[in-house]
Amino acid sequence: MIAAAPDSLVDDLVSLETYQGHDIEANLARAEAIEQAADRAGETELAHRARLVRADLAQRDGDVGSAARTFLMVHRWALDHERPALAARSHFHLTLTYHYLGDEGASLQHAISSVELLEPDSPPGQRIMHLIRLANALAEADEADAARERYRQAEQLAVAIGDHTRQLLVLNNLAYTEYEWGELDQAWTVVERMRGVARTLGREFLLVERDTIANIQIARGEYADAVATIWSAVNAPEWYEVHDLVDVTLTMAIAQRHLGRFDDARQTFHRCLELCAEREIVSVRVRALAEQAELYADMGDHRSAFETLKLHLTEAGRLRSSQREAQARAQQAVFETAEARREARQDALTKLWNRRYVDEHLPRLVTGGAPVTVAMLDLDYFKRINDTLSHEVGDQVLRTVAGMLADLPLAGEGFAARLGGEEFLVVRVGAPAAAMLEYLRATVESYDWRPITGDLPVTISIGMVHVTAVDDLSVVLAAADRNLYEAKRSGRNRLVSS
């Protein structure tokens, strides 16, 4: 039973956030219980952290689409409510989401942000994990020097806090990365360092670590050493997670094949494929079938080699298809979330941005140091149009004026928004926009409104202010509002600026 006290929830949640195994079903239940308890306790941010854990587990179980929706939803909430620690966590998870989508650029950007947003007092263990993920993303982007530097930083931090377990995790990632780059001498140097840390910890290597070492040994042609690295562990599967066991069993079979121990290799491949079937690990099954075909060819059993290769190609095709479907579902989730976010910040009638968007974006623009023009616009005598004609006609006028605003040359971060009723806002970054706004005023006045409003004219009044690096948004809006009032007071259908 999960306690309702926030401190207890945090302790339970941290253990899940740092869990690296594959017992997905049990941990999903734990995360769901923490989420519900946090909601009952009014701990919204804690509940969102639990949702991230649940989504991470779902993603690791192959459900990238629903995981992406949760990551993006929590990420948006964190940004909206200025919770950098939670935003750092959501960036951390989105790194893998975009990696699965094949968008390594977006993956790297999220990894960078996940580190940048970590607060100074964030737990060192969390910082280490974020640095590892950033290093992995840099490695995927072929930024070798930058990746090595992040691995170095992560290891230094682990050493500083005496966390040899995480130090070994860093080194294992680094060793495998060097192996994938073909830098076998550097990879082996890291392996030697791993041995020293394992001795300090007083434990044997875990399966995932043995798999890294054995793959490097195979690449170096040290097949017997690779078998020896794995042998004692592969005969004690109850100590390990099944997913790790599948990977290392395949590595063992490959080493045995290279040694010419064909009967042993055949049995090991059979065991690997059994494990793949039990856990539905299709990606490893595809690799195992390809390697098994090589084994049969080495044995001179060309019929079995051919049949196994055909099966491999069939399974590989199915895997690519399922991966494309998963990517499509995840991409759709990203698109739907982005669309939902846009709709929440878009005025339903005019399709311009709404006040929520203004509140989110304008403060940063007016305090950012660049010159900014802020203009408030109001339709003159708009109530008369609604009362004399109809609200439907009034809506048509609003949409038409909004279309004119949407056509303004608001390059860069400039935007137009509807604040409510007949009031609009125009923001332009850079040079003063008086000429542009005067053109807009004249365009509204000269537009042929007769098909819409008959004899009733449509004009606008504009209050504009041009500022550079102010500290208070309210001062800017108040100045624009005063100028708008002056435009109204002095006869309407004019621009007043300051």
Side-chain angles (χ1 to χ4, degrees):
M1 182 67 181
I2 301 295
D7 286 347
S8 176
L9 292 179
V10 170
D11 291 341
D12 289 324
L13 186 57
V14 167
S15 69
L16 280 179
E17 288 174 331
T18 57
Y19 180 75
Q20 294 298 308
H22 300 277
D23 191 359
I24 290 174
E25 185 175 348
N27 285 291
L28 274 173
R30 286 179 63 199
E32 185 174 1
I34 293 171
E35 178 186 341
Q36 293 173 353
D39 279 331
R40 288 194 299 271
E43 295 288 333
T44 305
E45 183 169 353
L46 206 61
H48 280 312
R49 284 174 57 184
R51 291 183 186 103
L52 289 178
V53 170
R54 286 208 296 127
D56 179 50
L57 291 166
Q59 180 167 262
R60 287 156 64 182
D61 203 32
D63 192 353
V64 180
S66 66
R69 289 187 182 89
T70 300
F71 294 149
L72 290 164
M73 179 273 292
V74 173
H75 183 64
R76 191 69 258 159
W77 186 92
L79 296 182
D80 288 346
H81 293 81
E82 299 182 354
R83 305 294 176 89
L86 184 62
R89 293 176 189 276
S90 56
H91 276 301
F92 176 79
H93 291 294
L94 285 167
T95 300
L96 273 189
T97 296
Y98 282 94
H99 168 72
Y100 293 146
L101 292 175
D103 189 342
E104 299 302 343
S107 175
L108 178 56
Q109 188 55 56
H110 279 291
I112 292 170
S113 297
S114 78
V115 173
E116 289 178 341
L117 282 176
L118 284 174
E119 296 180 317
D121 60 348
S122 61
Q126 181 187 5
R127 184 173 295 276
I128 292 168
M129 299 305 294
H130 283 233
L131 283 169
I132 292 173
R133 186 152 291 181
L134 173 55
N136 291 343
L138 287 165
E140 290 287 340
D142 291 326
E143 296 288 345
D145 291 340
R148 290 186 180 109
E149 173 60 20
R150 297 320 183 280
Y151 286 129
R152 185 190 66 79
Q153 292 173 3
E155 185 187 4
Q156 280 189 334
L157 184 54
V159 171
I161 63 174
D163 191 338
H164 300 297
T165 298
R166 281 195 171 88
Q167 182 188 4
L168 196 51
L169 177 62
V170 175
L171 291 174
N172 187 63
N173 276 266
L174 174 57
Y176 198 84
T177 298
E178 297 286 4
Y179 155 72
E180 288 190 316
W181 285 334
E183 299 290 347
L184 299 183
D185 289 342
Q186 293 195 55
W188 193 250
T189 298
V190 179
V191 169
E192 294 295 346
R193 293 171 58 201
M194 289 172 61
R195 295 188 194 281
V197 178
R199 284 194 296 269
T200 301
L201 284 170
R203 69 161 171 82
E204 298 293 324
F205 283 125
L206 302 177
L207 270 188
V208 65
E209 296 155 355
R210 291 173 184 268
D211 187 55
T212 295
I213 296 169
N215 273 290
I216 296 169
Q217 289 169 323
I218 290 171
R220 286 161 57 95
E222 299 166 354
Y223 308 122
D225 291 340
V227 170
T229 295
I230 298 172
W231 183 253
S232 61
V234 85
N235 287 298
E238 66 273 14
W239 294 357
Y240 305 102
E241 296 292 340
V242 173
H243 195 288
D244 294 335
L245 182 61
V246 170
D247 286 331
V248 82
T249 303
L250 175 57
T251 304
M252 168 70 89
I254 293 170
Q256 289 170 331
R257 176 176 71 81
H258 280 292
L259 282 172
R261 292 168 48 180
F262 296 149
D263 287 341
D264 290 340
R266 185 168 51 190
Q267 292 177 21
T268 307
F269 275 124
H270 180 71
R271 175 59 177 151
C272 178
L273 291 170
E274 280 185 334
L275 290 169
C276 288
E278 289 172 9
R279 299 292 295 182
E280 298 181 354
I281 305 175
V282 181
S283 59
V284 181
R285 172 177 167 79
V286 169
R287 290 166 48 212
L289 287 170
E291 293 290 345
Q292 190 179 47
E294 293 283 350
L295 169 66
Y296 286 130
D298 289 347
M299 295 171 62
D301 186 351
H302 299 296
R303 176 178 292 277
S304 295
F306 178 68
E307 293 299 326
T308 305
L309 182 59
K310 284 201 304 181
L311 183 57
H312 158 73
L313 293 173
T314 300
E315 293 288 321
R318 289 175 181 169
L319 176 61
R320 285 192 296 271
S321 177
S322 66
Q323 287 173 332
R324 285 195 295 268
E325 290 174 2
Q327 288 178 340
R329 288 193 298 272
Q331 288 168 339
Q332 180 65 20
V334 171
F335 173 77
E336 289 173 355
T337 305
E339 283 295 291
R341 168 169 163 71
R342 180 179 178 87
E343 290 173 3
R345 288 153 180 79
Q346 192 174 56
D347 177 61
L349 176 66
T350 65
K351 305 307 179 185
L352 295 177
W353 296 117
N354 60 18
R355 183 177 288 275
R356 182 176 182 182
Y357 182 91
V358 173
D359 291 341
E360 289 178 355
H361 288 77
L362 188 55
R364 177 178 55 82
L365 295 181
V366 300
T367 60
V372 179
T373 295
V374 177
M376 298 183 75
L377 291 65
D378 193 87
L379 272 69
D380 300 324
Y381 301 113
F382 184 70
K383 186 175 185 300
R384 185 170 60 186
I385 294 174
N386 277 338
D387 292 347
T388 304
L389 300 174
S390 69
H391 285 281
E392 288 75 15
V393 171
D395 287 348
Q396 190 173 352
V397 170
L398 291 172
R399 285 193 293 267
T400 303
V401 172
M404 297 175 185
L405 293 176
D407 290 337
L408 291 174
L410 302 174
E413 296 186 282
F415 63 88
R418 183 187 179 199
L419 298 180
E422 66 271 28
E423 191 171 47
F424 296 87
L425 186 80
V426 171
V427 177
R428 186 182 187 186
V429 180
M436 180 192 71
L437 292 167
E438 177 57 32
Y439 173 80
L440 172 68
R441 184 206 61 76
T443 300
V444 173
E445 181 185 23
S446 61
Y447 185 80
D448 185 7
W449 291 102
R450 287 173 300 176
I452 302 175
T453 62
D455 294 333
L456 289 180
V458 178
T459 60
I460 59 172
S461 297
I462 307 172
M464 186 197 98
V465 60
H466 188 72
V467 298
T468 301
V470 298
D471 295 327
D472 191 344
L473 172 62
S474 63
V475 173
V476 179
L477 294 178
D481 193 51
R482 282 195 303 271
N483 288 341
L484 176 59
Y485 175 79
E486 179 60 25
K488 292 281 192 180
R489 191 190 65 80
S490 56
R492 293 179 169 81
N493 190 23
R494 64 194 62 213
L495 166 68
V496 174
S497 63
S498 62

